[in-house]
PDB file of all heavy atoms in Angstrom:
ATOM      1  N   PRO A 118      88.586 106.310 149.562  1.00 92.00           N
ATOM      2  CA  PRO A 118      88.597 107.485 150.446  1.00 92.00           C
ATOM      3  C   PRO A 118      87.996 108.714 149.860  1.00 92.00           C
ATOM      4  O   PRO A 118      87.500 109.554 150.612  1.00 92.00           O
ATOM      5  CB  PRO A 118      90.103 107.681 150.714  1.00 92.00           C
ATOM      6  CG  PRO A 118      90.748 106.361 150.402  1.00 92.00           C
ATOM      7  CD  PRO A 118      89.909 105.695 149.363  1.00 92.00           C
ATOM      8  N   PRO A 126      65.530 108.597 147.844  1.00 95.00           N
ATOM      9  CA  PRO A 126      64.265 107.827 147.933  1.00 95.00           C
ATOM     10  C   PRO A 126      63.947 107.072 146.623  1.00 95.00           C
ATOM     11  O   PRO A 126      64.187 107.604 145.532  1.00 95.00           O
ATOM     12  CB  PRO A 126      63.214 108.927 148.157  1.00 95.00           C
ATOM     13  CG  PRO A 126      63.989 110.120 148.634  1.00 95.00           C
ATOM     14  CD  PRO A 126      65.363 110.000 148.019  1.00 95.00           C
ATOM     15  N   LEU A 131      61.870 105.657 140.454  1.00 93.00           N
ATOM     16  CA  LEU A 131      61.159 104.413 140.060  1.00 93.00           C
ATOM     17  C   LEU A 131      59.949 104.674 139.206  1.00 93.00           C
ATOM     18  O   LEU A 131      59.352 103.770 138.578  1.00 93.00           O
ATOM     19  CB  LEU A 131      60.778 103.629 141.309  1.00 93.00           C
ATOM     20  CG  LEU A 131      60.493 102.144 141.148  1.00 93.00           C
ATOM     21  CD1 LEU A 131      61.552 101.437 140.316  1.00 93.00           C
ATOM     22  CD2 LEU A 131      60.422 101.496 142.502  1.00 93.00           C
ATOM     23  N   ARG A 172      76.663  96.018 112.113  1.00 98.00           N
ATOM     24  CA  ARG A 172      76.083  95.723 110.789  1.00 98.00           C
ATOM     25  C   ARG A 172      74.704  95.087 110.911  1.00 98.00           C
ATOM     26  O   ARG A 172      73.775  95.520 110.235  1.00 98.00           O
ATOM     27  CB  ARG A 172      77.052  94.776 110.044  1.00 98.00           C
ATOM     28  CG  ARG A 172      76.687  94.608 108.589  1.00 98.00           C
ATOM     29  CD  ARG A 172      77.575  93.586 107.876  1.00 98.00           C
ATOM     30  NE  ARG A 172      79.012  93.879 107.972  1.00 98.00           N
ATOM     31  CZ  ARG A 172      79.626  94.840 107.293  1.00 98.00           C
ATOM     32  NH1 ARG A 172      78.935  95.593 106.473  1.00 98.00           N
ATOM     33  NH2 ARG A 172      80.960  95.025 107.455  1.00 98.00           N
ATOM     34  N   GLY A 219      84.775 104.783 126.525  1.00 97.00           N
ATOM     35  CA  GLY A 219      86.200 104.881 126.176  1.00 97.00           C
ATOM     36  C   GLY A 219      86.375 105.220 124.731  1.00 97.00           C
ATOM     37  O   GLY A 219      85.424 105.501 123.993  1.00 97.00           O
ATOM     38  N   ARG A 255      80.282 104.360 130.714  1.00 97.00           N
ATOM     39  CA  ARG A 255      80.486 103.024 131.232  1.00 97.00           C
ATOM     40  C   ARG A 255      81.923 102.633 130.932  1.00 97.00           C
ATOM     41  O   ARG A 255      82.369 102.695 129.776  1.00 97.00           O
ATOM     42  CB  ARG A 255      79.541 102.014 130.603  1.00 97.00           C
ATOM     43  CG  ARG A 255      79.913 100.558 130.907  1.00 97.00           C
ATOM     44  CD  ARG A 255      78.878  99.592 130.494  1.00 97.00           C
ATOM     45  NE  ARG A 255      77.664  99.650 131.338  1.00 97.00           N
ATOM     46  CZ  ARG A 255      76.449  99.316 130.936  1.00 97.00           C
ATOM     47  NH1 ARG A 255      76.254  98.895 129.694  1.00 97.00           N
ATOM     48  NH2 ARG A 255      75.412  99.382 131.766  1.00 97.00           N
ATOM     49  N   ASP A 282      78.080  97.764 143.799  1.00 96.00           N
ATOM     50  CA  ASP A 282      77.838  97.633 145.229  1.00 96.00           C
ATOM     51  C   ASP A 282      76.375  97.874 145.624  1.00 96.00           C
ATOM     52  O   ASP A 282      76.081  98.108 146.800  1.00 96.00           O
ATOM     53  CB  ASP A 282      78.790  98.524 146.024  1.00 96.00           C
ATOM     54  CG  ASP A 282      78.710  99.965 145.616  1.00 96.00           C
ATOM     55  OD1 ASP A 282      78.048 100.271 144.619  1.00 96.00           O
ATOM     56  OD2 ASP A 282      79.327 100.826 146.294  1.00 96.00           O
ATOM     57  N   ASP A 284      71.906  97.471 143.982  1.00 98.00           N
ATOM     58  CA  ASP A 284      71.039  97.211 142.834  1.00 98.00           C
ATOM     59  C   ASP A 284      69.996  98.314 142.737  1.00 98.00           C
ATOM     60  O   ASP A 284      68.976  98.130 142.066  1.00 98.00           O
ATOM     61  CB  ASP A 284      70.409  95.826 142.922  1.00 98.00           C
ATOM     62  CG  ASP A 284      69.822  95.478 144.238  1.00 98.00           C
ATOM     63  OD1 ASP A 284      69.068  96.351 144.758  1.00 98.00           O
ATOM     64  OD2 ASP A 284      70.117  94.418 144.822  1.00 98.00           O
ATOM     65  N   LEU A 296      78.014 112.495 141.021  1.00 96.00           N
ATOM     66  CA  LEU A 296      77.717 111.626 139.882  1.00 96.00           C
ATOM     67  C   LEU A 296      76.635 110.680 140.318  1.00 96.00           C
ATOM     68  O   LEU A 296      76.552 110.316 141.487  1.00 96.00           O
ATOM     69  CB  LEU A 296      78.932 110.780 139.488  1.00 96.00           C
ATOM     70  CG  LEU A 296      80.218 111.547 139.126  1.00 96.00           C
ATOM     71  CD1 LEU A 296      81.368 110.559 139.082  1.00 96.00           C
ATOM     72  CD2 LEU A 296      80.053 112.191 137.772  1.00 96.00           C
ATOM     73  N   LEU A 354      76.873  92.567 119.031  1.00 98.00           N
ATOM     74  CA  LEU A 354      77.569  91.517 118.264  1.00 98.00           C
ATOM     75  C   LEU A 354      77.218  90.147 118.813  1.00 98.00           C
ATOM     76  O   LEU A 354      77.439  89.127 118.155  1.00 98.00           O
ATOM     77  CB  LEU A 354      79.094  91.775 118.266  1.00 98.00           C
ATOM     78  CG  LEU A 354      79.864  91.777 119.574  1.00 98.00           C
ATOM     79  CD1 LEU A 354      80.376  90.367 119.903  1.00 98.00           C
ATOM     80  CD2 LEU A 354      81.011  92.732 119.516  1.00 98.00           C
ATOM     81  N   CYS A 383      69.236 105.638 130.878  1.00 98.00           N
ATOM     82  CA  CYS A 383      70.173 105.892 131.967  1.00 98.00           C
ATOM     83  C   CYS A 383      70.224 107.382 132.349  1.00 98.00           C
ATOM     84  O   CYS A 383      70.276 107.729 133.561  1.00 98.00           O
ATOM     85  CB  CYS A 383      71.534 105.406 131.614  1.00 98.00           C
ATOM     86  SG  CYS A 383      71.717 103.619 131.481  1.00 98.00           S
TER      87      CYS A 383
END
Side-chain angles (χ1 to χ4, degrees):
L131 201 46
R172 190 184 305 286
R255 169 171 288 154
D282 55 352
D284 48 49
L296 304 167
L354 62 91
C383 291

